[in-house]
Amino acid sequence: METNRFKAEFKRFKKKKSVEISSKTIIHFGEDYPSPDAWKIVQEKFDTSDDRWGGSRFGLKPMSTWSIYSIETFPGFIYIVDPFIRGSHLYWTTRCIRDYPLAPNASNLDISLNPSDRGCLWEKHISLARHERAEVDWLRKLRWVTLGYHYDWDRKIYHKERVSKFPDDLSALSKFIAELFRFPRYQPEAGIVNFYNMDSSIGGHTDHSEYDLTAPLISYSFGQSAVFLLGRSTLDETPAAMRVQSGDIMIMSGESRLAYHAVPMVFAAPLCNCKRGNDGAKCFCLNCEEGIRESLSYVPDCAPKDWNPIRGDVDLLSNYLQNTRINVNVRQVLPNDGKFPD
């Protein structure tokens, strides 16, 4: 009888109180902790001498400073520890909260709200909070937004006709990351932005509906931390458990492209500099008002021409982000010829 070891590990972490989030139980990339013995962690070395580096336009640090890892037992999986300039977290977070949920992008709220009537959920959230109105705060009920080709969750397919423009900034960032890791023909054509509250989870699944499975999945995380489980093509093997923090990027390619994966739990991010109070460094994290204020002045070159940062509502933004994890995963849908299969 086949044993569902993936599900057993998912349930173990979902209980939270019975699990220690330490380097003894999960992988902590980028820190000098011994990884769990079952996994062979490799710190990758890349040629960073290319003078054409242009990552700063997306809010990325020079690649020579990146910490990049793979796991020998999970070929094709790449983990990048927060390569973003600290102030740039707020830009990408604001895009996810305020801009990406706008129509014509689809969301889980469409069953309750007409997309054309949805408006800006962030502005409605502010209005309700400032005037203490007893109405539904739809931003708190937002769980996912789809970009580009909109996924049919019931039939688990993409429709040629159900498509909206993929955001230029996210597309350019994803192409840049893909090219760095030897996927020069990668085309970002669909994206799912997931919004987790502190009690949220996503069970084990594979992403197999795209028509070109040689193209990688690229995942960006912002806000609170989470445990990510990476398995294999079946559920009968124990998955690797790893801590994912704000700014971290994951790439699933090769054998890992069709691996089962899940998020069994979300937990609070580490305290920021101003709350630790021990080094006097400026804080650019999303966990406090000071960090958000410091980040407001940073606007990457990839920002839309009409971009305006969130101002004057720092306390509300801080409160929201202290209780939210945001994950953006991007994928290529079509074959490299760009034609939608019949």
Side-chain angles (χ1 to χ4, degrees), residues 123-135 316:
E123 291 179 359
K124 292 181 178 180
H125 173 75
I126 294 172
S127 178
L128 289 174
R130 295 298 185 210
H131 298 93
E132 298 183 354
R133 286 156 38 197
E135 298 178 19
L316 294 178

Side-chain angles (χ1 to χ4, degrees), residues 115-321:
S116 60
D117 297 333
R118 196 163 65 218
C120 180
L121 298 177
W122 174 249
E123 291 179 359
K124 292 181 178 180
H125 173 75
I126 294 172
S127 178
L128 289 174
R130 295 298 185 210
H131 298 93
E132 298 183 354
R133 286 156 38 197
E135 298 178 19
V136 176
D137 187 349
W138 292 107
L139 182 66
R140 293 291 185 184
K141 295 182 178 294
L142 183 65
R143 293 294 174 264
W144 55 261
V145 169
T146 55
L147 313 169
Y149 284 106
H150 300 298
Y151 192 57
D152 184 330
W153 299 91
D154 295 326
R155 299 175 62 191
K156 301 193 182 313
I157 60 173
Y158 294 95
H159 295 278
K160 182 178 181 180
E161 298 78 17
R162 294 183 59 188
V163 61
S164 58
K165 188 178 186 304
F166 196 91
D168 289 336
D169 53 355
L170 184 58
S171 175
L173 169 64
S174 300
K175 285 182 180 179
F176 184 81
I177 294 293
E179 188 168 349
L180 287 177
F181 291 92
R182 311 295 189 266
F183 297 100
R185 301 181 68 184
Y186 184 77
Q187 293 296 321
E189 294 168 330
I192 302 175
V193 185
N194 290 306
F195 300 85
Y196 298 76
N197 58 40
M198 300 306 287
D199 295 320
S200 295
S201 63
I202 289 184
H205 65 283
T206 63
D207 294 301
H208 56 266
S209 300
E210 293 72 35
Y211 296 104
D212 185 351
L213 297 176
T214 65
L217 299 176
I218 303 178
S219 169
Y220 309 92
S221 293
F222 297 102
Q224 299 305 304
S225 301
V227 171
F228 179 79
L229 300 182
L230 176 66
R232 304 183 192 278
S233 59
T234 67
L235 294 169
D236 59 344
E237 296 188 55
T238 302
M242 58 197 76
R243 180 188 62 176
V244 181
Q245 299 198 99
S246 187
D248 292 353
I249 300 176
M250 291 184 286
I251 300 173
M252 295 174 66
S253 65
E255 289 185 29
S256 293
R257 174 62 178 79
L258 289 174
Y260 278 91
H261 53 283
V263 177
M265 65 176 291
V266 177
F267 60 96
L271 291 177
C272 57
N273 286 331
C274 65
K275 290 183 178 178
R276 287 197 298 262
N278 59 2
D279 57 9
K282 282 188 176 182
C283 177
F284 292 99
C285 83
L286 302 179
N287 261 359
C288 67
E289 294 182 27
E290 179 179 334
I292 291 174
R293 287 195 180 93
E294 290 288 350
S295 301
L296 283 172
S297 60
Y298 181 82
V299 180
D301 292 342
C302 67
K305 292 181 179 179
D306 58 352
W307 165 257
N308 287 305
I310 290 177
R311 297 188 183 278
D313 301 292
V314 170
D315 58 332
L316 294 178
L317 183 57
S318 175
N319 179 267
Y320 178 81
L321 293 176

Side-chain angles (χ1 to χ4, degrees), residues 32-160:
D32 294 329
Y33 294 131
S35 297
D37 295 335
W39 319 119
K40 296 180 179 180
I41 310 301
V42 178
Q43 184 162 10
E44 300 287 352
K45 299 294 183 182
F46 282 79
D47 180 9
T48 58
S49 61
D50 194 337
D51 292 332
R52 297 171 298 170
W53 173 257
S56 59
R57 68 182 184 273
F58 307 112
L60 295 172
K61 305 170 188 173
M63 196 177 181
S64 59
T65 67
W66 291 14
S67 295
I68 306 168
Y69 297 86
S70 64
I71 307 176
E72 283 188 9
T73 46
F74 294 87
F77 178 75
I78 302 168
Y79 196 101
I80 310 167
V81 178
D82 187 13
F84 290 94
I85 297 168
R86 297 307 299 174
S88 66
H89 284 212
L90 182 60
Y91 169 79
W92 291 107
T93 302
T94 302
R95 290 287 279 159
C96 292
I97 296 172
R98 186 187 65 185
D99 303 336
Y100 294 162
L102 294 172
N105 296 332
S107 82
N108 65 294
L109 301 180
D110 292 348
I111 194 171
S112 302
L113 293 173
N114 187 312
S116 60
D117 297 333
R118 196 163 65 218
C120 180
L121 298 177
W122 174 249
E123 291 179 359
K124 292 181 178 180
H125 173 75
I126 294 172
S127 178
L128 289 174
R130 295 298 185 210
H131 298 93
E132 298 183 354
R133 286 156 38 197
E135 298 178 19
V136 176
D137 187 349
W138 292 107
L139 182 66
R140 293 291 185 184
K141 295 182 178 294
L142 183 65
R143 293 294 174 264
W144 55 261
V145 169
T146 55
L147 313 169
Y149 284 106
H150 300 298
Y151 192 57
D152 184 330
W153 299 91
D154 295 326
R155 299 175 62 191
K156 301 193 182 313
I157 60 173
Y158 294 95
H159 295 278
K160 182 178 181 180

